Amino acid sequence: MKILLTGAGGDVGRRLRPMLRQAYGEIRVSDRDPLPDLHPGESFVAAELSDPVAVARAVEGIDGIVHLGGFSVEGPWPVLLKSNIEGCYNLFEAARAAGVKRVVFASSNHAVGFYPREQTIGPAVPVRPDSRYGVTKAFGEALGALYADKFGLRVTCLRIGNVGDAPIDRRRLAIWLHPADLMQLVRIGLEHPDIRYEVLYGASDNARGWWDNQRARDLGYRPQARSEDFAAAVLARVEAPDAVGDRYQGGAFCSQEFGAGPSGD
Ligand code: 15L
C-alpha cells in the first residue's frame, strides 16, 4: 500500500512516521512547510490544505491516507475554516478523484467534549462539540460518512484523546493514547477488510476512561499501554480546579469562553 501522511511535521505525525515506514516501506509525507527531519524512506510533498491543486498533487497515486493535517486546538474561526473545513473537504474530494481506497481521519475527543465525565459514550452518540475546533472535527466525521456512503471510500474516524509517552494530568488518565496504540488503530483503518465507515475512540487501556471502544476491540484493537501505571504519580500532583472543565470530558476546551453569551461579551 502506498501511504500518505498529512500533518507529518506535527507532534503526532513525527511519532507515527517511523512506525508507518516500518509497516509500509516508503511513505509520502506532507505538510505546509518543508520538514527539517526528512528520513530515508520518506518522500515529501508540500501541501497547504486549503489549496485544492496542492492537495490533489499530494494524493496522486496513493492507496491510503492518514489525515492528521489541520489546526489541532481551539482557534479563531477564519483559521479553522481554512485548515479544518476547506482543508478537510479538499482532502476527501482529492481522495475520491484520485481513486484512493482508504482514509483514516484524525478526529478528536473534542467533537464530543461536552458529555459529562459520569457518562460512558460510544461511537454512536450525537456530537457535542466543546469548541469551534470540535465542530470542525464533527464536520470531518460527517464528510467522511458522506464519502463512504456515496463514493465507497473506506473511512475510519479516530476520536483521539491525548497522544504522548505518558498521561500528563488527571483528565488525560482517562483519554491517554500511547503512539503504538494509535498505530494499531491506524493499521485497522488502513487494512481491516470490514471497514466501510467507522468512528473509533483513540484511547489506550485506560481504567478511568469514559469511552466504550468495543467496536475497536471487535476490529482487533488490543491496546498495550495502561494509564493506571501512571496514576499514582499523576494523582500526587496538585492541579488548579476548573469548575466547568472538570465536569466535562473536554476539560479546558469546555471552560474556555464558557457563558460568554451569544455576542461573546
Ligand atoms: C486534541 O484534540 C488536541 O489536538 C491535543 O492538542 C490535545 O489538546 C487533546 O485534544 C486533549 O484533549 O488533550
Side-chain angles (χ1 to χ4, degrees):
M1 266 185 116
K2 183 85 186 150
I3 304 298
L4 166 69
L5 174 69
T6 70
D11 179 60
V12 178
R14 273 185 276 115
R15 290 169 183 277
L16 267 186
R17 277 157 56 192
M19 293 184 277
L20 286 171
R21 289 198 304 269
Q22 201 183 10
Y24 299 106
E26 173 95 17
I27 58 168
R28 189 178 299 167
V29 290
S30 93
D31 213 304
R32 204 175 39 181
D33 302 314
L35 303 178
D37 57 345
L38 207 61
H39 291 266
E42 294 178 337
S43 61
F44 176 75
V45 179
E48 164 67 58
L49 290 169
S50 60
D51 174 356
V53 176
V55 177
R57 207 179 308 121
V59 308
E60 222 176 77
I62 288 294
D63 301 307
I65 301 173
V66 182
H67 182 42
L68 302 185
F71 202 71
S72 66
V73 289
E74 179 62 316
W77 182 246
V79 173
L80 287 160
L81 179 63
K82 256 185 167 251
S83 320
N84 294 13
I85 301 285
E86 287 175 20
C88 194
Y89 178 78
N90 290 340
L91 190 282
F92 274 103
E93 181 50 20
R96 182 196 66 77
V100 172
K101 307 223 166 13
R102 295 190 182 230
V103 172
V104 177
F105 169 60
S107 182
S108 166
N109 71 92
H110 298 291
V112 288
F114 259 123
Y115 280 96
R117 296 187 183 188
E118 313 78 72
Q119 192 175 341
T120 299
I121 57 171
V125 293
V127 291
R128 297 290 291 275
D130 57 23
S131 48
R132 292 176 289 277
Y133 165 68
V135 170
T136 68
K137 292 300 182 180
F139 169 83
E141 292 184 4
L143 200 61
L146 174 68
Y147 276 73
D149 294 335
K150 189 159 274 192
F151 306 119
L153 200 65
R154 295 172 184 237
V155 178
T156 304
C157 301
L158 301 178
R159 285 185 183 158
I160 297 175
N162 188 251
V163 178
D165 297 326
I168 52 176
D169 58 19
R170 282 167 208 230
R171 178 173 160 269
R172 270 56 170 253
L173 285 174
I175 67 163
W176 176 53
L177 177 60
H178 189 278
D181 289 337
L182 170 60
M183 183 61 191
Q184 267 198 56
L185 290 166
V186 165
R187 289 197 74 160
I188 288 169
L190 291 174
E191 295 174 36
H192 198 292
D194 295 347
I195 300 284
R196 292 290 180 274
Y197 176 75
E198 299 287 345
V199 175
L200 308 175
Y201 284 92
S204 285
D205 180 3
N206 301 333
R208 295 161 199 261
W210 305 307
W211 304 327
D212 173 358
N213 219 8
Q214 185 56 44
R215 179 62 185 150
R217 289 195 73 83
D218 291 347
L219 292 166
Y221 181 49
R222 296 289 179 272
Q224 298 301 302
R226 291 160 28 100
S227 67
E228 216 47 27
D229 295 344
F230 303 87
V234 170
L235 296 173
R237 290 182 214 140
V238 179
E239 290 182 16
D242 175 348
V244 172
D246 292 347
R247 280 183 9 227
Y248 296 106
Q249 299 186 5
F253 282 65
C254 298
S255 47
Q256 262 182 322
E257 301 172 46
F258 186 81
S263 62
D265 55 4

